[in-house]
Amino acid sequence: MSRTAGPLGRAWARLGPRFLPFADAASADLPLARLLRLSLFQVAVGMALVLLVGTLNRVMIVELGVPAALVAIMVSLPVLYAPMRALVGFRSDHHRSALGWRRVPFMWMGTLIQFGGLAIMPFALLVLSGAGQSDQWPTWIGQLAAGLAFLLVGAGVHTTQTAGLALATDLVAPRSQPRVVGLMYVMLLLGSMGSAVLFGWLLSDFSPGRLVQVIQGSAVATLVLNGLALWKQETRRPGRRRAAHEPAPGFIDAWRVYAGGPNARRRLLAIGLGTLAFGMQDVLLEPYGGQVLSMSIGSTTLLTATLALGGLAGFAFASVILSRGTDAFRMAIAGAAVGIPAFMAISLAAPAGNLPLFALGVLLVGVGGGLFGHGTLTATMQHAPPEHTGLALGAWGAVQATAAGLGVVLGGILRDVVNAIAGIAPGATGLDAATGYLVVYCAEMALLVVTLLVMLPLANAATGSRLLHPPVEAGSR
Amino acid sequence: MEDAKDKVWPTGLTEAESEELHRHLIQGTQIFGMIAALAHLLAYIYSPWLK
């Protein structure tokens, strides 16, 4: 296998076992070098997400002077494509290919779309801000171009990630799935953290030319990373193709069959509610720390690192426990259960003025979110019918990405509306400014309680069926 | 060796397979072309050249 893995793969393989906690994800049929190489698409996804919601969000407002409301609309455009992930996954399940490929064409197409979006992004943003000579042209050109760029990047990310996760599910034995999920999440986190630091450093000396270089550089990086990730990964099975005259099954019918499966709707509802609960504080933690707890900018940045650290701990813990055969829903329930005291700690930190309590709460939110995300994705993989892997992972991604995007928007709106009703001035500091944030945290706790109520029957159902049918041995699929 | 008949020399792919690869290539070129045209248009709007 080292022949197909190439020098980069071998370098990864030498590094991997020593520095990554998921070394034994490799089974005889899938060496670690290939698995690590496959996970590179998650680095590209993380990079694109951080660019959209982090770096460009700031650059548009601060450096380019675009109105904040317009920026908010642009940044939330990619969420519109998230529900399409179910369709993308379904289409890849039934892709008609003489080469016997199901996932590679979609990963490649997603990569091209993402590349295209990033390639026009810097010019679109410059035109949107009316820089250079572009103020002599109608404003709708910039808005349309920027909207198109954001939509393209979003469509590319969602397509690549759906096909990539489905490919990972196809490739690994069920026994190794928990560790693969852990690896995928860790690569996503590393990709976004690493590129956040890198983008921040590269753009610290801002100029329009530098913006073009950085964004188009990320476009090339996307192409390289995804190309490496999908190279020689999918087994060609020409026998799998259907005869040309055989009609493709319809999406609606397939969706009815999938959603009509045991507990399928309940599972998706729980994933949506839980992700919403963990997502609403996402952009509020740093302003809460700064505005209410009077933390400095440096220490609020540490909050994001603390949250990521908690997430990493959650993924690692879930990987280890789940690969021993624990029920993945129980892990997700544990994640939601950890989230409730975590948000309580964050809420109580303001009246108590207790920074360590706040930091502990943030860490626990990271851990809980990690456990919940890992548990639900692993459960989705394990319950996916072999012929509908793409649809199942697409449905997971559609619900998860929509809820996460919605959570960020709802969290911000809820805080602003409550603060406005309570008559709090935007510049207020200390406990006076806390009301809006506390309402959001209470809403998150309430959502987590509802998530727990929705999920508890799932764990019981899983134990029940496990008693009737002993767990399937690894590799039997 | 019956299906070796429709293998196209020298790639070892069948005709249907090579057509599919070709389609991907053409599609990729088309997408790249459109993206490049759009990027050039936006770059021109930002800062017209030959002026």
Side-chain angles (χ1 to χ4, degrees):
Chain A
M1 254 323 146
S2 61
R3 187 178 56 83
T4 52
L8 186 71
R10 282 199 295 279
W12 268 111
R14 275 199 299 278
L15 280 175
R18 261 179 294 159
F19 296 111
L20 283 173
F22 310 107
D24 40 346
S27 47
D29 52 341
L30 193 73
L32 181 71
R34 264 181 71 189
L35 198 57
L36 280 171
R37 199 156 56 80
L38 178 62
S39 66
L40 286 179
F41 78 85
Q42 286 286 73
V43 176
V45 168
M47 184 179 68
L49 291 181
V50 127
L51 194 63
L52 294 193
V53 299
T55 312
L56 292 185
N57 196 354
R58 187 212 125 92
V59 164
M60 280 194 281
I61 293 177
V62 179
E63 272 88 4
L64 295 176
V66 179
L70 190 57
V71 172
I73 293 173
M74 291 292 168
V75 169
S76 57
L77 275 179
V79 179
L80 290 182
Y81 195 82
M84 297 289 284
R85 289 173 72 127
L87 185 62
V88 169
F90 166 78
R91 295 258 317 265
S92 77
D93 280 342
H94 298 280
H95 185 61
R96 188 173 296 176
S97 162
L99 292 161
W101 273 346
R102 292 197 294 182
R103 319 294 183 198
V104 168
F106 287 84
M107 283 183 80
W108 177 241
M109 197 49 77
T111 306
L112 279 186
I113 296 171
Q114 191 177 332
F115 174 89
L118 289 173
I120 60 170
M121 178 79 75
F123 305 114
L125 294 186
L126 289 173
V127 173
L128 179 73
S129 71
Q133 315 265 319
S134 55
D135 50 357
Q136 295 165 14
W137 296 67
T139 47
W140 60 262
I141 295 184
Q143 292 166 358
L144 195 70
L148 181 71
F150 275 98
L151 264 184
L152 283 178
V153 175
V157 164
H158 290 309
T159 308
T160 314
Q161 202 183 25
T162 305
L165 289 177
L167 179 58
T169 315
D170 292 345
L171 286 178
V172 299
R175 186 186 35 152
S176 328
Q177 276 169 357
R179 285 175 186 275
V180 172
V181 170
L183 179 67
M184 292 293 163
Y185 264 117
V186 167
M187 292 309 256
L188 183 70
L189 207 57
L190 289 183
S192 42
M193 289 199 305
S195 33
V197 173
L198 191 66
F199 289 144
W201 177 64
L202 287 173
L203 286 171
S204 59
D205 184 18
F206 184 85
S207 70
R210 181 52 71 84
L211 181 70
V212 176
Q213 285 174 337
V214 169
I215 302 181
Q216 294 203 331
S218 78
V220 175
T222 303
L223 208 57
V224 171
L225 287 172
N226 287 352
L228 285 172
L230 61 79
W231 189 253
K232 290 190 184 181
Q233 293 280 10
E234 185 169 21
T235 333
R236 287 185 48 199
R237 277 181 232 161
R240 195 165 49 196
R241 77 189 136 157
R242 295 184 318 282
H245 55 81
E246 192 184 329
F251 173 70
I252 303 291
D253 295 337
W255 176 256
R256 279 208 189 105
V257 171
Y258 176 72
N263 288 323
R265 282 170 203 275
R266 183 181 280 272
R267 272 207 303 272
L268 292 176
L269 179 69
I271 292 168
L273 288 173
T275 311
L276 194 63
F278 278 112
M280 276 163 75
Q281 98 296 338
D282 215 30
V283 291
L284 296 187
L285 279 184
E286 291 200 26
Y288 179 69
Q291 217 180 336
V292 179
L293 289 161
S294 319
M295 293 167 75
S296 68
I297 293 183
S299 39
T300 54
T301 313
L302 271 181
L303 284 180
T304 310
T306 310
L307 189 69
L309 196 71
L312 277 180
F315 299 143
F317 178 76
S319 295
V320 172
I321 301 296
L322 286 181
S323 58
R324 290 187 192 146
T326 312
D327 177 31
F329 283 122
R330 286 176 183 272
M331 190 57 70
I333 287 171
V338 168
I340 295 174
F343 285 118
M344 217 174 275
I346 292 178
S347 313
L348 289 179
N354 194 335
L355 280 185
L357 185 67
F358 180 46
L360 179 71
V362 171
L363 186 74
L364 284 179
V365 167
V367 174
L371 295 180
F372 184 81
H374 196 305
T376 52
L377 181 53
T378 308
T380 307
M381 280 192 177
Q382 287 172 344
H383 287 78
E387 280 313 299
H388 292 117
T389 315
L391 179 61
L393 285 161
W396 172 84
V399 172
Q400 197 267 349
T402 311
L406 214 61
V408 171
V409 177
L410 280 184
I413 292 178
L414 192 59
R415 175 200 57 179
D416 292 346
V417 167
V418 169
N419 274 355
I421 292 173
I424 295 166
T429 52
L431 261 182
D432 300 336
T435 318
Y437 294 101
L438 294 181
V439 169
V440 173
Y441 298 140
C442 288
E444 295 189 281
M445 280 188 268
L447 273 172
L448 283 176
V449 171
V450 178
T451 310
L452 279 178
L453 292 178
V454 172
M455 284 198 93
L456 279 175
L458 289 174
N460 293 336
T463 359
S465 69
R466 187 145 298 186
L467 292 177
L468 292 174
H469 316 283
V472 188
E473 276 309 305
S476 62
R477 205 167 90 192
Chain B
M1 287 312 267
E2 202 190 324
D3 58 292
K5 239 183 347 194
D6 55 344
K7 299 257 177 196
V8 183
W9 187 86
T11 56
L13 295 170
T14 66
E15 219 167 282
E17 286 167 350
S18 37
E19 269 171 18
E20 185 175 315
L21 277 183
H22 180 68
R23 208 165 52 240
H24 280 300
L25 198 70
I26 296 295
Q27 211 171 26
T29 313
Q30 284 168 343
I31 294 178
F32 268 100
M34 284 189 293
I35 291 295
L38 191 55
H40 278 81
L41 177 71
L42 289 169
Y44 180 82
I45 291 175
Y46 172 64
S47 156
W49 50 86
L50 295 176
K51 252 191 182 174

